[in-house]
Amino acid sequence: GSTFAPALMFNRQPYFDSEIVAGNTDVVMFARSANDISSVINYELGVKTSVALGIRAVPSADGSTVTVTVNGIRSKDFNLANPLLTVYVTEDNIQPRNQQSSDAQALASFKHNHVIRAYNSIWGDVINWNDDTFTATYTFELDRAWKKEDLKFIACVANYDDGNKLNCAVENAVETTLEETTGIERVEFPSSDNERGAMKEESGSSSQFNSQNSIFGLDGRISGNTGL
């Protein structure tokens, strides 16, 4: 037999040589080793972003729906030509049905993670900016078969170019879990221009929208205690 790494994308960044058309650039990486993957991850961790995001996911009283509120703020360096907002509901720890493996121990512990259960639209919705900030709210139905403790709610801002796949990179993303309380509260923005300026001046800093949320920092990568 043989082993292989799957094709990967990192924020849809066009960093890689095409495996299909020699000499072309692609957003897909075919990893040869774990080091190939970690090197790209470490590079992306150092990339600064021009938009910071906050998110909350609050269930209805009967648990049949969830209201997801996403807030964002952009810096002066924000230059995406066609920024769109995509919101996902995902579920982890799903038991496989027909997974095959010669390794019985690995098969016994195998689970599907990051399974998309719902989303607002395939490429995202147009962002309605109010000067340099936005707020968007979505309501999703919650299937009772979904394990609430394994749900994550993810939002990302990315450019969209229907004529060039190399120009659709994700600028930033944010995630949270389902809250136990009901009633939407405002997701706070940074309170000063200095904090907003940190988006382009300070690598590794974080914008504290709401201490209950896992958020991505102003370096463009997650600063909370959970990960995608």
Side-chain angles (χ1 to χ4, degrees):
S2 62
T3 60
F4 65 94
L8 303 170
M9 284 194 292
F10 298 85
N11 293 329
R12 296 202 292 262
Q13 294 286 2
Y15 294 152
F16 314 106
D17 294 330
S18 175
E19 297 279 342
I20 301 173
V21 181
N24 282 12
T25 302
D26 204 346
V27 296
V28 177
M29 172 189 184
F30 291 87
R32 268 63 179 184
S33 69
N35 287 337
D36 288 349
I37 299 172
S38 62
S39 64
V40 179
I41 291 174
N42 289 333
Y43 176 81
E44 279 290 286
L45 286 171
V47 176
K48 300 175 185 178
T49 188
S50 59
V51 61
L53 301 171
I55 188 172
R56 292 194 70 183
V58 180
S60 60
D62 64 1
S64 64
T65 63
V66 60
T67 299
V68 180
T69 301
V70 183
N71 283 359
I73 186 168
R74 61 185 175 182
S75 75
K76 295 179 181 178
D77 290 345
F78 186 82
N79 61 0
L80 272 64
N82 185 26
L84 300 181
L85 173 68
T86 309
V87 179
Y88 299 97
V89 180
T90 69
E91 185 179 358
D92 292 340
N93 297 315
I94 297 175
Q95 189 74 28
R97 295 183 179 180
N98 297 301
Q99 187 69 29
Q100 297 183 3
S101 174
S102 60
D103 187 333
Q105 184 176 357
L107 184 60
S109 61
F110 182 84
K111 297 291 188 297
H112 292 291
N113 292 321
H114 318 300
V115 175
I116 296 174
R117 292 302 197 183
Y119 56 91
N120 61 333
S121 59
I122 293 176
W123 284 101
D125 294 336
V126 173
I127 298 172
N128 296 314
W129 295 97
N130 180 14
D131 293 325
D132 290 324
T133 67
F134 75 85
T135 298
T137 302
Y138 297 91
T139 298
F140 298 98
E141 294 184 358
L142 292 176
D143 192 310
R144 294 192 180 279
W146 301 346
K147 302 184 302 299
K148 303 300 187 293
E149 67 273 16
D150 288 327
L151 294 179
K152 290 189 175 68
F153 303 86
I154 302 165
C156 66
V157 171
N159 194 57
Y160 177 62
D161 185 339
D162 62 0
N164 183 6
K165 68 178 182 180
L166 305 181
N167 191 31
C168 297
V170 174
E171 180 66 18
N172 206 353
V174 63
E175 73 168 29
T176 192
T177 54
L178 192 67
E179 296 185 14
E180 296 181 359
T181 58
T182 58
I184 291 293
E185 297 178 9
R186 188 174 187 275
V187 183
E188 293 298 330
F189 288 117
S191 59
S192 70
D193 288 339
N194 289 335
E195 288 181 271
R196 291 172 58 188
M199 277 188 274
K200 59 185 177 63
E201 295 174 357
E202 298 180 13
S203 176
S205 60
S206 64
S207 170
Q208 297 303 317
F209 287 95
N210 187 303
S211 60
Q212 296 179 354
N213 296 327
S214 293
I215 67 170
F216 277 63
L218 299 178
D219 61 349
R221 306 299 173 254
I222 196 164
S223 61
N225 58 6
T226 61
L228 292 179

